[in-house]
Amino acid sequence: MGIPAAIAPEIQALIDVWRWDPVQCVNDLFAVGWEKAHPGRKFELELWQIDGLQALVGPCPRIAAKAAKGVGKGAWLSWVGWWFLVTRKHVRGAVVSITEGNLDDNLWPELALWRSYSPLLQQLFVCKRTVIEQIDEPGNWYLSKRAFAKDADPTAQAETLAGLHADAVLVLLDEVGSFPKGVFDAAGAIFNVAHTDAILAVAGNATDIPGPLGRICTEDADRWKLIEITGDPDDPRRCSRIDIVEARALISKYGRDDPMVMVNILGKFPPRGSRKLIGPDDVSKAVARRYAERTICREAIVWGLDVAGVAINPDAAVLTKRQGPAILERAKKWRNLDSDRLADVVALEYMEDKKKKSAAYPRGRAPNKIFVDKGNTGREVCRRLKSLLGESVVEGVDFGGSALDDAAYLNRRAEMWWAAAYWLRDEGSIPDDPELRRDLTSPDALTAKKGRARRQIESKDEMRARGLPSPDAGDSLCLTFSALVLTEPMMESRVQVSDHCETDFDPIAAMKA
């Protein structure tokens, strides 16, 4: 690797550690040099930077940073590049930004700057105007600067990343939010060759939901590890590079819903120009919420079962369990089960949860109600579940049927999706499941074209026509909002409160009740 023979064993031992610990790699390579260049200051990583580095050794080779402006995402991309170059042999990599000028002014000099802090990198690599090369093997081990013409056709733009074929391949994309589709899709082609050690790391601002970063946060969420970087003064994980006094002043003057504040300070997509009922930031907020068991244990437990079609149907049957403001666990999914078998496994889930008794759950965690999609084969599933668990527990729901409020919603499915959207924004807590994130953010919100102006949600067939999968996990969650479900203690409590409202309020009697 070009390492002097006298220190090669010691350095190689460090490199072996760095490959699986990028955080230590960054600290070991850069801390001393950076602190010498900044007297009196200590080299410390932000929480988001630690998350972004640790993600490099996770199961997902696609890592994206969705950032507010000025957070230092270029430093993170530079660390990713140097970590990959020094921990692999014969790397072939490319660095691309939204324009060649942007790359020349920002990420390319950033890479050179971090090399200047590391004596080891200076021994191993040389930085040139268009390429970073390993000193001893320049043609086989490099990171090259690439550019694309904005006015070129998509095929020509995709050629920007041609020739990246090796055992170890790296692509870094800066300001990816407005990249052309052809360039972005070409970057993903590095994963086409089997047994390639490849990483695609991208960073950008939340400016445009229809762009690549919007895709990453919505329909492609199950394929990416997303790192979110905010300057929100109220977020304990905020990036300290954004001046907190200035951030508070802008929020106070313009409000949190102002597009400039959302993009520049909060790192969120502005709502303008999007037809999404549920935005990626709504989902991220719900993922971050947590509820203690004692705060939700008296809420009704509701299950939603979205039933797949016949065996050749690629969709999955999905079961979601919700208690009040919280989804209790990741959704259960089954494929290629006939109606009776699916009903049997759901009934078994019911019996297993009924056994989960505790002080907070003396009756176990069995659901008060199971709402079942009764379209297609769902009718048979619903029928069998009723015979196994009882008519009062299981209720069939027709997605295409009339909404409970048919003056406002085109059908029952639209009504459930809107109820779930309000819940998600105001109080919902969901697991960090990439497939659920994708499903919730994929459908467009529409307005009926004929007759009364009623809300509707994009159909599964319309989504498939756009190349999107059926939102099975999303439909399953939305089924839990088919109707209001109350536990018996809650129903009694509400009756007592109503009775007291008609007379003078007695606090002692209310506490006893």
Side-chain angles (χ1 to χ4, degrees):
M1 289 182 60
I3 301 170
I7 63 171
E10 176 186 352
I11 298 300
Q12 188 58 58
L14 267 177
I15 289 172
D16 292 340
V17 172
W18 292 343
R19 182 177 180 119
W20 304 107
D21 192 344
V23 175
Q24 182 175 336
C25 177
V26 168
N27 279 307
D28 289 346
L29 283 177
F30 305 121
V32 173
W34 187 90
E35 289 175 357
K36 284 183 179 179
H38 301 81
R41 296 174 61 186
K42 185 174 177 58
F43 183 78
E44 292 181 324
L45 300 182
E46 302 258 347
L47 292 175
W48 74 263
Q49 291 170 335
I50 293 173
D51 291 343
L53 291 170
Q54 290 175 336
L56 297 170
V57 293
C60 184
R62 296 172 173 87
I63 304 97
K66 177 171 76 75
K69 291 190 176 180
V71 299
K73 59 185 184 297
W76 172 73
L77 282 173
S78 298
W79 298 341
V80 173
W82 286 119
W83 168 78
F84 198 86
L85 281 169
V86 82
T87 59
R88 273 78 170 167
K89 292 183 178 180
H90 305 136
V91 172
R92 293 191 178 186
V95 184
V96 190
S97 188
I98 187 62
T99 65
E100 187 173 12
N102 185 278
L103 185 55
D104 288 338
D105 292 342
N106 295 290
L107 185 53
W108 198 251
E110 189 86 15
L111 283 157
L113 176 65
W114 287 102
R115 174 184 172 274
S116 73
Y117 296 143
S118 172
L120 177 60
L121 293 181
Q122 293 170 40
Q123 292 181 59
L124 299 181
F125 298 92
V126 59
C127 284
K128 299 181 180 180
R129 189 173 65 86
T130 61
V131 68
I132 295 170
E133 296 176 321
Q134 206 280 331
I135 290 174
D136 292 340
E137 301 186 53
N140 296 321
W141 199 332
Y142 61 82
L143 188 62
S144 64
K145 184 172 70 173
R146 306 286 182 94
F148 59 86
K150 278 200 164 186
D151 56 352
D153 65 79
T155 302
Q157 289 175 336
E159 290 299 313
T160 303
L161 294 168
L164 293 179
H165 305 295
D167 291 336
V169 179
L170 172 70
V171 173
L172 303 176
L173 305 181
D174 192 23
E175 304 297 349
V176 73
S178 300
F179 262 52
K181 184 178 184 299
V183 178
F184 182 69
D185 290 344
I190 64 174
F191 300 106
N192 290 352
V193 180
H195 311 300
T196 298
D197 182 6
I199 283 183
L200 172 57
V202 310
N205 302 117
T207 55
D208 189 11
I209 287 182
L213 192 58
R215 277 177 52 192
I216 290 169
C217 297
T218 54
E219 58 253 42
D220 290 346
D222 57 332
R223 306 179 70 198
W224 287 82
K225 173 63 178 177
L226 181 65
I227 310 299
E228 300 191 77
I229 315 163
T230 181
D232 187 343
D234 298 329
D235 192 324
R237 298 178 64 84
R238 70 181 303 275
C239 175
S240 64
R241 283 175 57 96
I242 296 180
D243 186 271
I244 194 168
V245 175
E246 178 68 9
R248 284 187 172 133
L250 289 172
I251 291 172
S252 176
K253 183 174 183 178
Y254 299 106
R256 288 178 169 269
D257 295 331
D258 179 81
M260 179 272 294
V261 171
M262 294 180 73
V263 173
N264 294 352
I265 304 299
L266 305 180
K268 294 183 176 182
F269 288 105
R272 182 180 58 246
S274 174
R275 296 194 305 174
K276 300 295 181 188
L277 173 61
I278 299 172
D281 296 309
D282 298 326
V283 176
S284 295
K285 189 179 291 186
V287 168
R289 289 192 190 103
R290 293 290 181 271
Y291 291 96
E293 183 180 273
R294 60 183 173 79
T295 66
I296 64 171
C297 62
R298 296 192 65 184
E299 298 278 354
I301 299 176
V302 186
W303 291 5
L305 177 62
D306 184 53
V307 180
V310 296
I312 60 172
N313 194 311
D315 300 344
V318 183
L319 176 68
T320 297
K321 304 176 181 180
R322 179 175 66 85
Q323 184 168 28
I327 300 300
L328 298 177
E329 60 189 46
R330 281 202 176 200
K332 300 289 179 70
K333 300 165 188 175
W334 301 277
R335 292 185 185 277
N336 300 326
L337 296 184
D338 61 34
S339 300
D340 287 351
R341 178 61 179 150
L342 177 58
D344 290 345
V345 296
V346 172
L348 182 60
E349 280 283 322
Y350 178 95
M351 300 308 297
E352 290 297 320
D353 280 17
K354 192 173 183 178
K355 296 175 185 177
K356 296 177 181 177
K357 297 182 179 181
S358 64
Y361 295 91
R363 300 180 182 178
R365 295 177 183 251
N368 302 89
K369 183 73 74 173
I370 303 175
F371 292 108
V372 182
D373 164 25
K374 66 178 184 179
N376 297 322
T377 57
R379 293 184 183 278
E380 289 302 310
V381 176
C382 189
R383 177 195 58 76
R384 181 163 177 81
L385 273 175
K386 284 183 176 182
S387 69
L388 293 171
L389 304 178
E391 295 275 345
S392 64
V393 175
V394 181
E395 182 175 328
V397 178
D398 182 2
F399 279 0
S402 297
L404 301 180
D405 182 2
D406 65 351
Y409 302 97
L410 183 67
N411 53 35
R412 194 76 178 275
R413 182 169 179 260
E415 187 174 46
M416 292 186 296
W417 269 86
W418 248 270
Y422 292 137
W423 168 85
L424 199 75
R425 293 168 190 159
D426 295 340
E427 63 174 358
S429 170
I430 63 174
D432 192 4
D433 181 344
E435 186 173 336
L436 178 60
R437 184 188 288 265
R438 179 203 68 198
D439 284 0
L440 289 174
T441 56
S442 291
D444 284 344
L446 308 172
T447 302
K449 296 178 181 178
K450 295 180 180 180
R452 291 174 295 175
R454 292 181 292 176
R455 295 169 173 174
Q456 68 181 97
I457 193 77
E458 187 179 19
S459 71
K460 294 183 179 184
D461 288 341
E462 289 171 326
M463 292 180 66
R464 290 192 185 100
R466 292 200 289 128
L468 300 176
S470 171
D472 303 318
D475 279 335
S476 174
L477 184 151
C478 292
L479 273 164
T480 68
F481 294 92
S482 297
L484 180 64
V485 179
L486 300 176
T487 61
E488 290 182 8
M490 289 179 68
M491 292 171 66
E492 294 168 0
S493 175
R494 294 191 179 196
V495 170
Q496 291 165 352
V497 170
S498 176
D499 289 342
H500 282 295
C501 287
E502 295 178 3
T503 59
D504 291 338
F505 178 65
D506 183 346
I508 303 300
M511 285 190 288
K512 288 181 179 179

